[in-house]
Amino acid sequence: MVEPVPRAEVNASQAGPTSEAQALPHLRLGVLISGSGTNLQAIIDACESARLQAVEIALVVSNVAGAAGLQRALKHRLPAIYLPWREREEGERRLAALLELFRVDLVVLAGWMRILSADFLARFPRRVINLHPALLPDDPSADVYIASDGSAIPAFRGLHAVRQALEAGVRVTGSTVHYVTPAVDAGPVLCRAEVPIQEGDSEETLHERIKAVEHSLVIEAIERWRARELLELRRLSHSGGGPPQEG
Ligand code: GRF
């Protein structure tokens, strides 16, 4: 049997130079990708610099063998795994085992193109967040987001959110980081940022500008999540009320 990786507690030497960092509970991330991994790169860079202190990427998982994000992870000597996803139940069973083996606290879906089931999410309650390239409202049942200029923007959910924003002719779109729930792109919002649409934007140019904003937004989301959730997660796991462990 493979021994689980020990969950790191607050560790001053890993936490960075400031006394503020020494007070931060150490956070272990699992980052799930399917593609280029520019947001993964932003997280790597923030962990390696003073931007994100006492945060460690414990594991990177890709369901696509040739995903450029896997190469980014390997270049930085991070544990990186290709997980073939032929059938959801089997894929989720293996993914959950990996996340538990590597003692991941928070799972970040950074361009992960597979829907996760309610059963999987129940094993990691409030511990999975997703980056979505559109503005989503606070109320998950709402279909409209009111932008800072007062305009009502339809909530573009699903796979083609950037294209939908262009086709709808709205003036602003953006990105949202939200908790993942069984309803697709409809979980409680952690943070979001607006991105103006420019004359002549194509899906590619607009998505590039959205990603540029996401690279900061994802860091803000990780910090917010830690401030809100990590101590409670530690308390639950110490009292034995944490998520089930693999036998
Ligand atoms: C991001 O725009 C994210 O919002 C969406 O997928 C894209 C991933 O980009 N879910 P990258 O792989 O991080 O470059």
Side-chain angles (χ1 to χ4, degrees):
M1 184 192 146
V2 186
E3 282 300 311
V5 178
R7 196 191 287 279
E9 299 299 337
V10 177
N11 178 332
S13 63
Q14 287 174 299
T18 70
S19 55
E20 190 191 337
Q22 288 171 19
L24 292 170
H26 193 86
L27 173 60
R28 293 175 64 83
L29 299 178
V31 184
L32 273 51
I33 59 163
S34 302
S36 63
T38 64
N39 283 286
L40 166 66
Q41 187 68 55
I43 302 169
I44 294 172
D45 294 345
C47 289
E48 289 182 353
S49 70
R51 173 73 184 87
L52 206 44
Q53 297 187 356
V55 178
E56 162 183 13
I57 299 177
L59 179 64
V60 174
V61 177
S62 171
N63 69 309
V64 176
L70 276 179
Q71 296 307 318
R72 296 177 190 273
L74 292 172
K75 195 170 161 205
H76 290 262
R77 299 177 182 278
L78 295 169
I81 292 175
Y82 160 52
L83 179 60
W85 201 267
R86 295 185 191 94
E87 193 266 316
R88 184 157 81 175
E89 208 177 306
E90 165 73 359
E92 289 187 340
R93 198 180 55 70
R94 294 166 70 190
L95 177 60
L98 283 168
L99 295 171
E100 285 164 4
L101 183 67
F102 282 81
R103 296 285 188 233
V104 165
D105 298 306
L106 171 64
V107 181
V108 182
L109 308 187
W112 170 257
M113 304 302 280
R114 287 287 174 271
I115 290 174
L116 297 169
S117 72
D119 283 349
F120 176 90
L121 294 169
R123 290 181 75 161
F124 302 93
R126 298 183 68 80
R127 290 168 60 195
V128 186
I129 63 174
N130 178 51
L131 268 159
H132 181 70
L135 296 168
L136 299 174
D138 285 328
D139 175 358
S141 65
D143 287 330
V144 166
Y145 171 77
I146 305 299
S148 56
D149 67 0
S151 57
I153 313 288
F156 301 115
R157 299 189 167 97
L159 272 183
H160 303 293
V162 179
R163 189 187 310 164
Q164 283 178 279
L166 277 175
E167 287 172 356
V170 293
R171 288 205 306 261
V172 63
T173 183
S175 179
T176 305
V177 185
H178 62 92
Y179 289 89
V180 178
T181 60
V184 175
D185 300 329
V189 171
L190 262 172
C191 51
R192 67 171 85 69
E194 295 185 3
V195 175
I197 296 179
Q198 292 173 2
E199 193 78 27
D201 255 337
S202 65
E203 190 174 346
E204 288 70 32
T205 59
L206 179 55
H207 201 169
E208 280 313 305
R209 288 209 319 289
I210 292 172
K211 283 198 201 186
V213 167
E214 287 182 321
H215 298 163
S216 308
L217 193 68
V218 69
I219 307 304
E220 184 186 332
I222 291 166
E223 286 175 326
R224 279 196 187 189
W225 185 90
R226 170 164 56 185
R228 270 192 206 173
E229 309 282 356
L230 190 59
L231 290 178
E232 177 65 5
L233 179 64
R234 290 279 187 275
R235 195 185 63 73
L236 282 174
S237 55
H238 287 144
S239 67
Q245 301 291 308
E246 283 292 291

